[in-house]
Amino acid sequence: MKTIDFSTILASSVHDVKNSLTLLINKIDEISAVTADKKNKSELEQLQYHGKRISSHLIQLLVLYRIEQAHYFANITETGIKDFLNESLELYFPLFAQKNISITIQCTDELYWYIDRELINGAITNIMNNLYAHAQSAIEITAYTENNRFILQIKDDGNGYPEEVLHSRTSGQQKNFSFTSSNTGLGLYFSEIAAEMHQNNGKSGAITISNEGISGGGCISIDLP
């Protein structure tokens, strides 16, 4: 009897689901474009957001699978950070505006760094999807360099990270998941891998989280060499 390569079967299934979901999202886009009623349009935009959120998780799974199979290698290129941030956040500006959540970006036009745009965009997408549920009224994004490293810091004014999440990262304990909140830790795990794929002169990227955000809210930093 042949051995079942369950990871490959699972990856193929995820790919098929992602393609079907893309068709569904595109159909919602078409309906939204011809919908005049504000309430209906707002509800369709919510459906679009949740569809794209699921699609983002599926893509993260596929990228992690390719990394595990040694089929994905970081594509590090020099990138204008301010333009990159504006492109990555384009979807989120109107969505957060609907919830009266402001997004501010502090980044100079001159800031360039070597990054894998797709990996870091995936990490940002995960962070913003979480903040859509948890931020109260403000998100502050700051990009800068320090000690020859690039730091992208995102703060919010939500309730902050649960104590068990902060504790599991400092103690090395197994990361918990929650059926209540649907939190599997996948997004944070993907962000950690995305950062670690950035290496330079024997140094690797890393993710740090704390509750040093706005008024005790969450703060996540992507730190790249």
Side-chain angles (χ1 to χ4, degrees):
M1 181 177 178
K2 289 184 177 180
T3 302
I4 297 175
D5 184 353
F6 187 71
S7 61
T8 299
I9 294 171
L10 185 60
S12 297
S13 299
V14 168
H15 191 270
D16 286 344
V17 172
K18 181 184 71 64
N19 287 344
S20 296
L21 185 59
T22 299
L23 292 175
L24 183 62
I25 292 171
N26 289 340
K27 180 57 68 177
I28 294 173
D29 281 342
E30 292 174 12
I31 297 171
S32 179
V34 296
T35 300
D37 184 89
K38 286 186 178 180
K39 184 173 181 296
N40 290 341
K41 198 174 187 68
S42 175
E43 290 176 347
L44 286 169
E45 287 172 349
Q46 294 293 315
L47 285 176
Q48 283 175 309
Y49 161 73
H50 287 293
K52 289 176 180 177
R53 185 171 185 269
I54 296 169
S55 178
S56 154
H57 283 308
L58 296 178
I59 292 171
Q60 288 175 3
L61 281 173
L62 290 172
V63 172
L64 289 171
Y65 172 74
R66 291 178 62 188
I67 292 173
E68 193 271 338
Q69 295 290 314
H71 291 161
Y72 186 94
F73 301 95
N75 180 25
I76 309 290
T77 57
E78 188 178 26
T79 301
I81 298 299
K82 189 167 187 177
D83 287 344
F84 167 72
L85 288 175
N86 281 321
E87 290 171 14
S88 296
L89 296 167
E90 184 178 11
L91 164 70
Y92 296 98
F93 288 124
L95 279 171
F96 280 80
Q98 286 179 358
K99 296 182 71 177
N100 294 317
I101 298 173
S102 65
I103 302 175
T104 58
I105 301 175
Q106 296 183 38
C107 177
T108 65
D109 293 336
E110 295 76 24
L111 180 54
Y112 281 71
W113 203 258
Y114 289 88
I115 65 172
D116 182 313
R117 295 174 62 97
E118 295 302 321
L119 288 176
I120 299 304
N121 183 53
I124 291 173
T125 297
N126 167 64
I127 294 166
M128 297 306 291
N129 285 339
N130 285 335
L131 295 187
Y132 186 76
H134 298 294
Q136 299 295 318
S137 63
I139 295 168
E140 296 176 356
I141 301 173
T142 309
Y144 58 97
T145 60
E146 184 176 79
N147 298 326
N148 205 32
R149 295 180 72 94
F150 168 65
I151 312 293
L152 178 63
Q153 193 171 68
I154 302 178
K155 296 181 177 180
D156 69 275
D157 64 348
N159 294 325
Y161 291 97
E163 196 60 39
E164 60 268 24
V165 174
L166 297 173
H167 180 68
S168 67
R169 292 180 59 80
T170 56
S171 65
Q173 291 180 355
Q174 176 177 292
K175 296 176 178 62
N176 295 325
F177 61 86
S178 168
F179 284 106
T180 305
S181 64
S182 301
N183 176 27
T184 63
L186 172 65
L188 188 55
Y189 179 69
F190 174 86
S191 299
E192 289 175 333
I193 297 296
E196 290 171 4
M197 293 282 286
H198 290 74
Q199 301 185 359
N200 187 23
N201 290 329
K203 298 178 180 177
S204 300
I207 296 287
T208 58
I209 62 172
S210 73
N211 285 337
E212 297 176 357
I214 307 166
S215 302
C219 174
I220 183 166
S221 296
I222 301 174
D223 179 343
L224 304 180

